């Protein structure tokens, strides 16, 4: 019996050492270490041996053999997997230095182009880029922005709720963010002033798509918190941005408006060189309650915030008639930009 065991073990080890693919190792695992394997078969015959000593010796030999087979399989499996990975990396290698000519080279989507240019312009004005999650808590999206439960302004947002109850939280308190303004709160909680950030990102509202609306769109938020910030700083920043982004012939203006999270609030418009005005976004001085929710003392700090739609701005800049074009995958559209 012992010699059968040794022979089975040696045969298995030789075979395993020759396995060259993950599939082969898997097949051998069944063949040699499985319930129907040769060693398992020999184990079943232990009962037919007549002396206790013979049983003990054979049992020990089987255990040793099975252990050896198991570790050989483990070792081979790791080796073969590493080999397979190396081969894959080799065959899928891309030569990034290869020149493919201009005819086949792609470019960023119109939204991405606008997004990146906006970042460039604001970074040029001294802002940093901040980010926040697209799935938000009710608290960050509304409550901390001075829109408590039942606030009428919540109704304007056509919120998409998510079936997710956070640990210790209540149902119906997880939302797809309806604007980028929750990043104001996240930034204030994470950083000490002075704060000069912009936060571009995707936002969601339960809108039916039409020529000027999409349920998924992009906004860029701006937040400044420092000592002695005034409405004049806001107006100056908006104007500097307008000229840097659209060109020197463009102007901007603020019009009184209302947002729960800014006081006073304004809409800002930009004026084309031909004299016509376009409404671009909302802005205002950060409301004291919002500074407080962000962990800051409104007696010590003041700031302004603004937010506007990236897609809207891109279609205005390029004269696109229908915002839905931006999200079709029609190359005849995308290739124009
Ligand atoms: N979050 C507002 C919206 O989506 C825009 C805004 C941002 C207004 C910051 C004021 C200050 O309509």
């Amino acid at each position: 019996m012992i010699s059968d065991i040794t022979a089975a073990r040696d045969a298995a080890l030789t075979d395993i050492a020759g396995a060259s693919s993950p599939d082969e190792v898997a097949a051998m695992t069944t063949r040699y270490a499985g319930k129907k394997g040769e060693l398992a078969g020999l184990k079943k015959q232990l009962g037919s041996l007549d002396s206790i000593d013979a049983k003990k010796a054979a049992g020990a030999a089987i255990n040793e053999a099975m252990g050896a087979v198991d570790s050989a399989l483990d070792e081979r499996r790791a080796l073969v997997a590493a080999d397979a990975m190396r081969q894959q990396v080799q065959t899928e290698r891309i030569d990034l230095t290869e020149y493919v000519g201009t005819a086949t080279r792609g470019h960023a989507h119109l939204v991405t182009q606008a997004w990146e240019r906006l970042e460039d312009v604001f970074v040029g004005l001294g802002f940093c880029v901040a980010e926040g999650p697209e799935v938000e808590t009710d608290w960050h999206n509304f409550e901390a922005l001075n829109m408590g439960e039942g606030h009428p302004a919540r109704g304007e947002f056509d919120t998409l709720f998510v079936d997710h109850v956070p640990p210790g939280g209540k149902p119906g308190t997880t939302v797809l963010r309806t604007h980028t303004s929750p990043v104001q709160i996240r930034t204030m909680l994470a950083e000490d002033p002075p704060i000069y950030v912009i936060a571009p990102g995707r936002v969601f509202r339960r809108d039916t798509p039409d020529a000027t609306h999409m349920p998924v769109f992009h906004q860029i938020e701006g937040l400044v918190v420092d000592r002695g910030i005034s409405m004049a700083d806001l107006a100056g920043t908006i104007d500097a941005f307008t000229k840097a982004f659209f060109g020197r012939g463009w102007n901007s203006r603020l019009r009184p408006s209302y947002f729960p999270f800014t006081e006073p609030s304004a809409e800002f418009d930009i004026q084309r060189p031909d004299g016509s005005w376009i409404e671009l976004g909302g802005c205002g001085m950060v409301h004291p309650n919002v500074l407080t929710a962000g962990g800051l003392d409104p007696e010590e700090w003041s700031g302004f915030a603004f937010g506007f739609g990236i897609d809207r701005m891109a279609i205005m800049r390029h004269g696109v008639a229908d915002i839905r074009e931006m999200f079709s995958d029609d190359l005849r559209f995308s290739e124009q930009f």
Side-chain angles (χ1 to χ4, degrees):
M1 177 111 181
I2 302 270
S3 59
D4 288 345
I5 295 168
T6 321
R9 180 198 64 190
D10 291 347
L13 292 181
T14 315
D15 211 11
I16 292 167
S20 60
S21 74
D23 284 350
E24 266 182 82
V25 178
M28 287 182 192
T29 307
T30 321
R31 191 174 328 139
Y32 298 121
K35 285 202 188 96
K36 295 204 172 121
E38 204 175 339
L39 287 168
L42 287 165
K43 196 172 185 174
K44 281 187 202 125
Q45 294 169 28
L46 282 181
S48 62
L49 293 175
D50 20 68
S51 83
I52 299 261
D53 281 348
K55 276 185 194 162
K56 261 196 192 159
I62 286 184
N63 282 342
E64 183 274 333
M66 283 182 149
V69 166
D70 276 344
S71 39
L73 282 167
D74 285 347
E75 219 172 276
R76 200 69 203 165
R77 194 175 298 116
L79 204 85
V80 175
D83 246 23
M85 176 60 90
R86 211 172 302 126
Q87 270 180 27
Q88 190 185 354
V89 168
Q90 196 56 42
T91 51
E92 291 177 5
R93 192 171 159 272
I94 299 171
D95 182 358
L96 295 176
T97 64
E98 189 179 11
Y99 178 70
V100 290
T102 50
T104 48
R105 200 187 295 162
H107 65 75
H109 186 270
L110 188 48
V111 175
T112 313
Q113 288 179 29
W115 176 321
E116 287 176 350
R117 261 203 79 216
L118 285 165
E119 282 188 355
D120 286 349
V121 168
F122 279 111
V123 166
L125 292 172
F127 285 74
C128 296
V129 180
E131 272 184 276
E134 292 173 1
V135 182
E136 258 299 2
T137 66
D138 183 274
W139 187 81
H140 289 92
N141 196 83
F142 293 120
E143 196 104 19
L145 290 165
N146 206 28
M147 285 179 274
E149 224 177 296
H151 193 291
R154 283 188 180 213
E156 285 165 26
F157 280 103
D158 296 316
T159 313
L160 291 157
F161 289 89
V162 174
D163 273 343
H164 166 77
V165 185
K170 285 193 288 181
T173 56
T174 306
V175 300
L176 295 184
R177 66 175 177 192
T178 58
H179 52 174
T180 42
S181 301
V183 187
Q184 289 186 32
I185 303 297
R186 291 188 176 271
T187 307
M188 287 188 269
L189 290 174
E191 286 170 34
D192 290 331
I195 293 170
Y196 290 79
V197 295
I198 48 152
R202 196 169 289 148
V203 300
F204 311 82
R205 291 187 200 174
R206 219 189 61 226
D207 266 333
T208 310
D210 64 24
T212 52
H213 294 86
M214 282 293 288
V216 180
F217 58 105
H218 302 83
Q219 284 188 334
I220 183 163
E221 191 83 8
L223 173 70
V224 166
V225 180
D226 206 337
R227 288 196 168 87
I229 295 292
S230 77
M231 198 88 181
D233 298 305
L234 168 59
T237 304
I238 297 274
D239 204 57
F241 157 73
T242 304
K243 293 189 162 54
F245 191 84
F246 292 96
R248 277 204 291 158
W250 294 63
N251 294 309
S252 67
R253 74 176 174 201
L254 302 186
R255 253 182 316 118
S257 184
Y258 172 77
F259 296 101
F261 31 94
T262 44
E263 182 60 38
S265 303
E267 303 280 343
F268 67 92
D269 303 331
I270 54 171
Q271 188 181 31
R272 295 193 182 94
D274 71 6
S276 61
W277 290 93
I278 320 166
E279 182 181 319
L280 203 58
C283 60
M285 302 306 291
V286 182
H287 194 288
N289 292 351
V290 175
L291 289 168
T292 308
L296 301 175
D297 179 0
E299 296 297 330
E300 184 178 0
W301 303 104
S302 56
F304 65 76
F306 57 83
F308 55 91
I310 299 180
D311 326 80
R312 284 255 178 105
M313 208 199 53
I315 65 174
M316 280 187 305
R317 193 154 168 258
H318 294 281
V320 177
D322 192 322
I323 201 167
R324 286 169 294 192
E325 294 275 21
M326 304 278 274
F327 304 96
S328 71
D329 52 5
D330 192 338
L331 282 178
R332 289 169 304 179
F333 172 75
S334 306
E335 276 173 350
Q336 298 175 60
F337 306 102

